[in-house]
Amino acid sequence: MEPFAYARATDVASAVAVLDERTAVVAGGTELLNLLKERVVTPDRVLDINRLALGEIAFDGTTLRLGALARMSDVAAHPAVRASFPAIAEALEKSASPQLRNMASMGGNLLQRTRCAYFRADTALPCNKRTPGSGCAARNGNTRQQAIFGWSEACVATRRAQHRAR
Amino acid sequence: MARSIGAPAIGPADGARPAGIQTTLRVNGSVRRLELDPRATLLDTLRERLGLPGTKKGCDRGECGACTVHVNGRRINACMTLAVMHDGDEIVTIEGLARGEELHAVQAAFIEHDALQCGYCTAGQIMSAVACIGEGHAGSADEIREWMSGNLCRCSCYPQIVAAVQTAAQERT
C-alpha cells in the first residue's frame, strides 16, 4: 500500500464535508483493502465511517430500509428480511463467505468496482478504468469473466467506471 | 507480485510516512496499546507487532480464510481490515482459545478426527468453526459445509473437518 492518512468519522455531516477525490471511504474494507494492496487506488486519506449510526435494518410492514453500514450477515439474518424478503436473504447468503459477510456493508456492495481481473491485476496492465487512456487488456485477453452485454472497445468489463480515489 | 509473505508489511515506506495512530486492541483478554501505521492490516499487526503468529497469512486477499479471527464475537478475515479500525475492539485469535493446557472442544475435535495435514489452514478453520457452531450453523454436515465454505484447505481434509465440527457441535449441546 502507498502511504495514506487515516481518520475516523464521528458524524455524517462532517464526514460528507471532508470527502474529495483524494479521500477513500472504508466501511467493511473487503473491497478497499484489495484495491489498496494492489495500488489500484492510492488515496491520500482513508476515512473510516464504521462508527457512524448507519447500520439500520427496519421494516414497517411495507418498506424495508437498509442502512449503508448494515452488514450482509445481519441483513440476511434479520427476521423481517427472512420472512418478507427471502430472496434478499438467500442472495446474500450465496455471496462471499461467512467471514466476509460479517464485514461487508450494503453500501460498499453497491460501490464495488469492476471484478475484471485485468483491472485488479497485481501488476498493472493496460486498463482504462485504472489508468484512463491506457487501453483495455481484457479486450483481446482472457474474456471468460467479461460482460456479454454493454461492453465497448474501451472496456469489456461489466460495470461503468465509478467515482473517486485513484 | 506486490504482496509477499516475507516482506515487511508494516515498516515505513520510503518518503512520506504518515503519523502513527495510537490504537488500543484487546487481544485474547489483554489490553495492547500500539502506535500503528494506518496501512497495517489486523493480520500483520497480530503476527508482527503482537507476537501472535498463530493467525496465518494465506492469500492475503479475503479468499482462503486462514486469517480468521473473532472481533467483538464475530468471525472476520483479519487480512481485509486495517488494525487502526479496531481501536477498543475485543479480538480473539487461535492463541486465546485454550484455557491453559485445556484445549477448546473444537481444537480437541480436530485432533481426534485428524482434520489436518499440513496445518496451515487449521487456525483459521478452528476459529471459523467455533463461530460457526456459536451462530447455530452446524446442525448437519451440509450446513457445516456451507457455513465453513470461507475456509479453504489445500490438503483437502474437508471430510475430517466436517466430522470434527459436527463432533464439537454435538458436545456443546
Side-chain angles (χ1 to χ4, degrees):
Chain A
M1 295 183 212
E2 296 296 324
F4 55 80
Y6 169 84
R8 193 176 295 135
T10 51
D11 65 275
V12 172
S14 56
V16 171
V18 300
L19 287 184
D20 61 28
E21 291 233 317
R22 301 296 310 154
T23 303
V25 171
V26 66
T30 57
E31 168 80 340
L32 185 65
L33 269 278
N34 277 330
L35 299 180
L36 288 170
K37 288 176 189 179
E38 307 297 8
R39 294 171 169 81
V40 176
V41 297
T42 54
D44 291 337
R45 287 166 299 276
V46 170
L47 183 66
D48 177 358
I49 61 165
N50 282 296
R51 313 233 170 167
L52 301 181
L54 297 174
E56 170 188 41
I57 305 170
F59 183 52
D60 64 6
T62 312
T63 305
L64 177 67
R65 289 177 58 86
L66 300 176
L69 286 179
R71 307 296 158 168
M72 292 172 77
S73 56
D74 293 324
V75 176
H78 195 281
V81 176
R82 297 193 85 79
S84 301
F85 302 91
I88 292 179
E90 196 179 322
L92 285 168
E93 289 187 347
K94 294 235 181 284
S95 303
S97 70
Q99 292 95 315
L100 291 170
R101 295 195 295 269
N102 277 342
M103 310 172 79
S105 68
M106 300 306 291
N109 258 264
L110 298 178
L111 290 170
Q112 275 187 88
R113 305 292 299 271
T114 176
R115 306 305 300 180
C116 179
Y118 293 93
F119 171 78
R120 289 167 182 268
D122 52 18
T123 303
L125 296 164
C127 172
N128 288 320
K129 278 195 168 74
R130 199 156 155 175
T131 308
S134 64
C136 174
R139 176 66 187 90
N140 295 303
N142 184 340
T143 52
R144 188 177 161 194
Q145 296 179 312
Q146 306 306 332
I148 297 173
F149 303 110
W151 58 274
S152 72
E153 292 295 327
C155 178
V156 295
T158 52
R159 290 196 195 185
R160 201 162 51 81
Q162 281 163 340
H163 81 138
R164 65 184 52 98
R166 267 197 269 286
Chain B
M1 300 228 308
R3 57 177 181 281
S4 64
I5 287 171
I10 291 174
D14 293 330
R17 186 189 179 195
I21 307 285
Q22 295 294 335
T23 306
T24 300
L25 304 177
R26 297 167 191 281
V27 184
N28 300 330
S30 300
V31 176
R32 310 293 294 267
R33 291 192 176 80
L34 296 164
E35 185 179 331
L36 293 173
D37 186 313
R39 294 171 293 176
T41 62
L42 180 60
L43 171 62
D44 287 334
T45 302
L46 291 169
R47 289 179 55 84
E48 297 175 29
R49 291 290 300 278
L50 296 177
L52 296 169
T55 306
K56 295 293 184 272
K57 182 185 278 192
C59 67
D60 202 27
R61 54 195 302 161
E63 293 172 5
C64 77
C67 65
T68 302
V69 299
H70 299 175
V71 173
N72 299 332
R74 291 155 65 104
R75 52 174 157 163
I76 70 162
N77 293 332
C79 72
M80 288 280 91
T81 193
L82 301 171
V84 290
M85 291 161 62
H86 295 285
D87 190 42
D89 284 355
E90 199 78 51
I91 295 152
V92 179
T93 71
I94 190 73
E95 290 93 340
L97 222 47
R99 293 283 162 267
E101 292 297 302
E102 189 193 338
L103 292 180
H104 187 283
V106 176
Q107 292 174 305
F110 267 63
I111 293 170
E112 182 193 334
H113 288 276
D114 203 15
L116 56 128
Q117 276 187 49
C118 82
Y120 198 82
C121 74
T122 308
Q125 297 281 359
I126 289 173
M127 294 311 290
S128 199
V130 171
C132 175
I133 294 167
E135 292 159 10
H137 289 140
S140 68
D142 274 350
E143 192 179 19
I144 291 166
R145 276 190 283 270
E146 175 63 32
W147 288 87
M148 288 296 291
S149 63
N151 293 82
L152 305 183
C153 173
R154 180 62 182 80
C155 308
S156 208
C157 295
Y158 297 111
Q160 294 90 335
I161 292 169
V162 170
V165 177
Q166 224 165 357
T167 296
Q170 281 157 4
E171 280 171 12
R172 190 171 178 268
T173 50

